[in-house]
Amino acid sequence: MLEATGTTATPARISPRRTPPTWLVVALACAGQFLVVLDVSVVNVALPSMRTDLGLSPQGLQWVVNAYAIGFAGFLLLGGRAGDLYGRKRMFLVGLGLFTLASLGGGLAQEGWQLLAARAVQGLGAAVLAPSTLTILTAAVPEGAARARAIATWTAVGAGGGAAGGLVGGILVDGLSWRWVLLINVPVGAVVLAGAALWLTESRAGERRRLDLPGALLVTAGLATLAYGISQTESEGWTAVATLVPLLAGLALLGLFLLVEARTATPLMPLGLLRLRSVASANAAMLVSGSSMFAMWFFMTLYAQNVLGYSPLEAGLALVPSSLAVVLGSKAAPRFMPVIGARNVAVLGTLVAAVGFGWQSTMTSDGAYVTAIMIPGVLMMLGAGLAATPLASLAVSGAAPQDAGLVSGLINTSRTMGGSLGLAVMSTIAASRAGGEHAGPVALTEGYALVFRTATVVLVAGAALMWTWLPAARPREERAPRA
């Protein structure tokens, strides 16, 4: 699940074409965001079918999710900066086109590696597309109450996309096949592409200049290598060479990324942005909370199908209340923020989610739907929706207009990369308790329950981090240094 919220950017350049109706711009931006976030979670209910058809291992199943997430997170900063410099409409079209073609390739995959490669390219397309959806929307809607409503709609659509993935995937897998969780993007993507080409106007902030491609490659390679090292702990253990080498290599690549960013004239991520308290603290909080929230859909779906015996459609239907809860939380957060403050809403949402995760950790192998899935799921996702909007709002509140796309990409990177690394860690934790890929329902339940207990602790720690580090009031005048 990926959300961000507003920016006060005003585009430096707008094409002379007649301005389209605002509702149409908002609809196209939300459609793009819906597709991006939907594909984070839509594959979850299809994982057992993918495993049977393509012969994927448990680790391979994890990478069906992580290949997309890492490609997405690793190139979000590049996608955000490209939109600022080369045009938001152009990057919207490029990203959506790449995403749609990769969806076609994944749906037609005949081998596991082909599916994983297509998911990685999907993530790259999503990384180019996602930041432009927000900046296109904020450029089209005047600052004030109208923009706040538009951003709340965008956030809710994004949250709903991630949450609806289980239901959409269940319907497609039961009615057609697992391939349609990817192929469905092709006709939808084509329609949105046509609408965007016809009706969106171009805008950008800043002069064209060279993109920091080395920085993008280093951060993506570092994050992917680090996630691979963590995933190796499931089969090799933490002290094995096969684990330590990629872990150390990933950290080294990330260190080299920071060195390159400090020295290049046109950095992908100006490190001076992180000297702004609102940006640094909100991104750290998003990274920590994302490490738990992201894993929820993955393990809830596996629990419903592998332990309780639900079909893909039944598993998707079981998570509908959670889907509604995350949308409700996202829409409610802007109403509470002016009253009790963004920081307090973020802390409250995180603690509500922690209660849900703690409840879910009491799961049993014969749990009843209402108490084993519905109520804890609603609490987890209501809290996630409440927390995401204020965190994203704080993150972008001090950024200069020319950094709008970059900061939007950064906050989504923090959430998605935290989720990807968290999923790798949580999968290892589950496997260590369950005792192997052929474990029975009771052993699997024990592994999943340990994951939710661990996530509860992480979220409580995240709430403490937010309370002590996030600014108490939204900054209005401060701006980050540019380099």
Side-chain angles (χ1 to χ4, degrees):
M1 189 178 52
L2 306 166
E3 301 100 10
T5 188
T7 171
T8 59
T10 300
R13 303 181 180 182
I14 303 177
S15 72
R17 290 181 60 182
R18 183 174 62 86
T19 302
T22 299
W23 68 265
L24 183 58
V25 176
V26 172
L28 288 169
C30 288
Q33 180 70 356
F34 182 85
L35 284 174
V36 166
V37 183
L38 179 73
D39 263 62
V40 176
S41 61
V42 71
V43 299
N44 285 339
V45 296
L47 292 174
S49 300
M50 290 175 175
R51 179 178 181 180
T52 299
D53 196 15
L54 300 180
L56 292 167
S57 66
Q59 190 178 66
L61 286 184
Q62 175 189 323
W63 279 94
V64 172
V65 178
N66 266 353
Y68 180 86
I70 290 173
F72 183 46
F75 284 101
L76 261 172
L77 295 177
L78 185 68
R81 179 55 85 200
D84 288 339
L85 300 179
Y86 297 107
R88 282 73 179 261
K89 175 182 176 178
R90 180 177 289 114
M91 291 301 105
F92 186 100
L93 295 174
V94 169
L96 183 55
L98 189 60
F99 177 90
T100 303
L101 288 174
S103 298
L104 178 62
L108 299 177
Q110 300 300 310
E111 301 287 343
W113 69 266
Q114 294 171 350
L115 175 61
L116 298 185
R119 289 287 287 168
V121 178
Q122 261 193 313
L124 171 59
V128 176
L129 169 63
S132 294
T133 66
L134 178 60
T135 48
I136 285 171
L137 182 148
T138 54
V141 183
E143 186 173 4
R147 179 180 290 180
R149 288 192 298 270
I151 290 171
T153 300
W154 181 90
T155 302
V157 166
L167 176 59
V168 173
I171 292 171
L172 292 172
V173 173
D174 266 11
L176 297 168
S177 79
W178 68 262
R179 296 181 182 278
W180 279 95
V181 303
L182 300 172
L183 292 176
I184 192 63
N185 293 328
V186 178
V188 177
V191 170
V192 178
L193 268 172
L198 286 172
W199 293 308
L200 290 184
T201 54
E202 187 60 278
S203 69
R204 64 174 178 264
E207 296 299 322
R208 293 192 182 200
R209 63 175 189 260
R210 183 178 63 86
L211 282 173
D212 180 20
L213 187 58
L217 293 176
L218 282 171
V219 70
T220 303
L223 293 172
T225 305
L226 190 62
Y228 175 75
I230 294 173
S231 71
Q232 285 292 93
T233 63
E234 181 177 334
S235 58
E236 304 292 339
W238 284 96
T239 58
V241 173
T243 298
L244 291 176
V245 169
L247 285 177
L248 294 175
L251 292 174
L253 287 169
L254 292 177
L256 185 58
F257 164 71
L258 294 176
L259 182 63
V260 167
E261 296 308 282
R263 293 173 177 268
T264 187
T266 57
L268 178 66
M269 185 184 73
L271 298 182
L273 281 173
L274 298 181
R275 292 199 290 270
L276 185 62
R277 179 182 176 185
S278 59
V279 174
S281 60
N283 276 278
M286 196 72 88
L287 184 77
V288 172
S289 62
S291 68
S292 295
M293 302 293 193
F294 191 82
M296 178 267 186
W297 300 110
F298 184 86
F299 287 105
M300 288 288 279
T301 303
L302 292 182
Y303 171 62
Q305 293 189 67
N306 293 344
V307 175
L308 300 183
Y310 288 19
S311 69
L313 178 57
E314 289 170 339
L317 289 171
L319 294 175
V320 166
S322 304
S323 305
L324 298 176
V326 72
V327 174
L328 176 62
S330 298
K331 294 291 283 185
R335 297 180 180 273
F336 291 121
M337 286 163 58
V339 180
I340 64 175
R343 181 186 68 173
N344 293 336
V345 175
V347 172
L348 175 64
T350 303
L351 291 177
V352 169
V355 171
F357 274 84
W359 186 326
Q360 190 63 55
S361 72
T362 65
M363 62 208 302
T364 63
S365 60
D366 58 351
Y369 166 68
V370 172
T371 55
I373 291 182
M374 189 183 80
I375 296 177
V378 166
L379 289 173
M380 284 186 277
M381 290 299 99
L382 178 64
L386 281 172
T389 299
L391 285 178
S393 177
L394 287 168
V396 302
S397 59
Q402 62 267 31
D403 290 326
L406 173 63
V407 177
S408 174
L410 181 60
I411 194 67
N412 276 306
T413 297
S414 297
R415 170 182 292 281
T416 309
M417 203 59 244
S420 183
L421 294 176
L423 178 58
V425 172
M426 297 299 183
S427 295
T428 300
I429 290 172
S432 68
R433 177 58 62 92
E437 72 175 275
H438 300 296
V442 173
L444 286 173
T445 302
E446 291 177 355
Y448 301 155
L450 181 58
V451 164
F452 285 98
R453 283 197 294 274
T454 304
T456 303
V457 174
V458 171
L459 288 173
V460 171
L465 173 70
M466 295 174 200
W467 181 256
T468 56
W469 195 9
L470 289 174
R474 176 172 173 162
R476 296 181 181 275
E477 301 298 332
E478 60 176 342
R479 287 288 184 264
R482 288 285 302 139

